[in-house]
Amino acid sequence: EALRTMMARAAELAEKRNQITHSEWAAGRTPGTVTRTKTTAKVNRGYRFELTDVSAEDLGAIADDMKRLAWELQHRFAF
């Protein structure tokens, strides 16, 4: 059960990582942020454009979650 929970967390973090990696970034709309932009065009959904302000703390929290999960996996299952 612990492994399933960790794998679910890993999948969620992988999605966040993909959003960070595959989005375009611009100066934030408010001080202390950057803006993530994502544009998609799909037959069923049409054209979509998303803007999301992200702070350094938000990005740091994702990185911290990744480090924590990696540590837990290594210490629980590596040996």
Side-chain angles (χ1 to χ4, degrees):
E1 188 61 36
L3 181 58
R4 278 183 217 257
T5 300
M6 289 181 181
M7 295 302 293
R9 287 171 54 201
E12 181 180 322
L13 288 168
E15 179 61 32
K16 290 179 182 181
R17 178 236 171 247
N18 287 341
Q19 284 182 342
I20 291 167
T21 302
H22 298 293
S23 294
E24 294 180 15
W25 294 87
R29 295 180 286 180
T30 59
T33 66
V34 291
T35 299
R36 183 179 74 84
T37 63
K38 181 165 182 167
T39 305
T40 58
K42 305 283 183 184
V43 173
N44 294 336
R45 291 175 158 175
Y47 178 81
R48 291 177 52 192
F49 185 75
E50 295 177 25
L51 292 174
T52 306
D53 287 335
V54 181
S55 69
E57 290 81 17
D58 295 333
L59 294 173
I62 294 167
D64 289 344
D65 288 346
M66 289 178 177
K67 287 186 283 187
R68 188 176 309 108
L69 179 59
W71 186 91
E72 290 173 19
L73 285 166
Q74 289 171 348
H75 286 81
R76 183 155 189 157
F77 300 106
F79 303 103

